[in-house]
């Protein structure tokens, strides 16, 4: 299956320094992949001279004269940067020239531009950001991770419908277990918004297992495939996990580097530490999908290195192959029909 992905080559903290080598590694590893790198043509041609020959049938450059800065206002980017690498990369998806877009650029600008260009799936009010988090049982999907600070119960329900369909397609799980993030598992706990969302989920066809607490993100006793939260709570939880992982890594380095004895202990423990690092390495979980849009957009972390950006491109490959957008659209349509007939 041939697939084409547009890459915002100028986006992120490092731009072409990361996006180009990551793209070339992906082309090397997947002979069915075609990439369109979007950005300053002069800059990209200089760095891709040989690659354009090696991958002449699978690698092209699309010129864009502007770049969205990481701290730029989403509104200003949408209004004034119509020829940015971000906007052009998304336009390629809208025009059918690309199956998906990957960008490490400004999250707010990317969401605003993607929503404006691609429009929403009928029946969905707001897009949501979903990604995977490492857990004891492998990994867990979670949304929303920051697109919507304030959400209604209906929004949370819509997020659950979309997220469950994505998990079903990507993970090959027939009936994903869906949990609603709350401050406790008991029915009486939570705010009114969460309680109302729980009732909607209980009366749906989703495999809703009830409330889950924050420890279920990584190590809870309840196994769950998808955790639903509003964007404020979801983003705080995500950043807390990232901070905890960084703290653990730093503490281990300091502990094993104190003296000659601890350094020797570190050498003995190296295989275990290497395995542990790989299991929780955030680069291997990089890439978040914007659900609710009529086209596929993957957001990479702005500070992603080459390995992390490759992970985001690979995520786009998987979701294109699994035809995620079509499946979500059809599931939303079925859900709306069931509710109307209830």
């Amino acid at each position: 299956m041939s697939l084409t992905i547009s890459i915002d080559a100028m986006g992120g903290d490092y731009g072409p320094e990361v996006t180009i080598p990551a793209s070339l590694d992906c082309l090397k590893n997947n002979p069915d992949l075609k990439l369109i790198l979007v950005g300053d043509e002069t800059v990209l041609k200089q760095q891709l001279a040989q690659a354009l020959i090696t991958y002449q049938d699978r690698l092209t450059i699309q010129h864009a004269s502007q770049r969205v800065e990481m701290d730029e206002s989403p509104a200003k980017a949408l209004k004034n940067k119509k020829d940015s690498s971000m906007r052009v990369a998304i336009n390629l998806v809208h025009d059918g020239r690309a199956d998906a877009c990957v960008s490490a650029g400004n999250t707010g600008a990317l969401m605003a531009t993607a929503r404006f260009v691609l429009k929403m799936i009928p029946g969905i009010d707001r897009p949501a950001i979903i990604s995977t988090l490492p857990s004891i049982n492998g990994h867990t999907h979670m949304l929303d991770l920051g697109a919507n600070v304030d959400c209604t119960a209906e929004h949370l329900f819509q997020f659950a419908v979309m997220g469950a369909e994505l998990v079903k397609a990507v993970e090959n799980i027939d009936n994903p277990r869906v949990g609603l993030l709350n401050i406790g598992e008991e029915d009486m706990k939570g705010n009114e918004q969460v309680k109302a969302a729980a009732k909607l989920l209980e009366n749906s066809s989703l495999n809703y297992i009830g409330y889950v607490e924050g420890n279920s993100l990584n190590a809870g006793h309840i196994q769950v495939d998808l955790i639903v939260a509003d964007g404020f709570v979801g983003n705080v939880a995500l950043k807390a996990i990232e901070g905890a992982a960084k703290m653990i890594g730093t503490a281990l380095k300091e502990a094993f580097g104190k003296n000659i004895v601890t350094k020797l202990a570190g050498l003995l423990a190296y295989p275990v530490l290497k395995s542990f690092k790989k299991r929780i390495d955030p680069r291997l979980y990089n890439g978040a999908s914007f659900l609710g849009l009529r086209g596929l957009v993957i957001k990479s972390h702005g500070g992603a290195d080459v390995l992390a950006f490759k992970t985001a491109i690979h995520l786009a490959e998987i979701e294109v192959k699994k035809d995620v957008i079509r499946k979500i659209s059809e599931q939303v349509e079925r859900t709306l029909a069931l509710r109307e007939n209830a």
Side-chain angles (χ1 to χ4, degrees), residues 26 45 80 106-107 162-163 187 222 248 256 266 279 320 330:
C26 288
K45 276 188 174 181
N80 303 325
N106 180 319
T107 303
M162 294 190 294
D187 290 341
I222 298 177
I248 291 170
F256 282 115
R279 183 171 180 179
V320 170
E330 291 178 351

Side-chain angles (χ1 to χ4, degrees), residues 228-257:
V228 180
D230 64 52
F232 184 92
V233 173
N235 190 265
V236 170
L238 176 64
K239 297 297 172 60
I241 292 169
E242 291 176 348
K246 186 175 182 179
M247 181 194 70
I248 291 170
T250 301
L252 284 173
K253 275 187 178 181
E254 292 176 352
F256 282 115

Side-chain angles (χ1 to χ4, degrees), residues 257-272:
K258 282 185 176 180
N259 52 55
I260 187 64
V261 176
T262 58
K263 287 179 180 179
L264 288 172
L267 287 175
L268 291 173
Y270 179 74
V272 176

Side-chain angles (χ1 to χ4, degrees), residues 102-117:
V102 180
S103 174
N106 180 319
T107 303
L110 184 65
M111 177 63 80
T113 303
R115 185 172 183 176
F116 177 79
V117 173

